[in-house]
Amino acid sequence: MSVTQQSRRQALKARFARKEIVTAPGIFDMISAKMADSMGFDCLYMTGFGTVASYLGLPDAGSPPTPIWSIASRRSAAARTRR
C-alpha cells in the first residue's frame, strides 16, 4: 500500500471515529467506480445487488411498493432519534 493510500485510509478511519458524515456513493462496476472516484468522494461502497445485476445485465430492481417505503422511512427516523 502506498503512503498516500495509507494516509487516506487513516484519515477516513479518523473521520469514522469522530462520527463525522462521510459521503460514499454506491458503485457496481469499474465504470461507476472510476466515475465516482473522479468526483472526489470520501470513499466508495460496493452494492451487492447492483454488482450482480450489472454483471448479469439485469435491470434496476425499481422502487419498492409505497407501504415498504413507509415502513422503512419510519424505522430510519426512529433509529435516527435514538441516541
Side-chain angles (χ1 to χ4, degrees):
M1 182 179 299
S2 74
V3 174
T4 304
Q5 287 176 321
Q6 186 161 351
S7 62
R8 288 178 67 186
R9 185 183 65 166
Q10 289 170 342
L12 183 60
K13 187 176 179 179
R15 288 187 68 189
F16 285 141
R18 291 189 303 268
K19 298 185 179 184
E20 293 182 12
I21 293 174
V22 175
T23 305
I27 60 167
F28 48 87
D29 61 12
M30 289 184 286
I31 294 172
S32 63
K34 285 185 155 290
M35 289 175 58
D37 190 46
S38 73
M39 295 177 179
F41 288 100
D42 300 319
C43 62
L44 309 175
Y45 79 93
M46 191 171 196
T47 71
F49 178 78
T51 301
V52 173
S54 175
Y55 179 77
L56 297 175
L58 299 173
D60 188 324
S63 293
T66 302
I68 293 174
W69 275 118
S70 178
I71 292 166
S73 61
R74 271 187 259 137
R75 287 180 179 168
S76 296
R80 177 65 182 107
T81 57
R82 291 183 205 142
R83 288 196 180 222

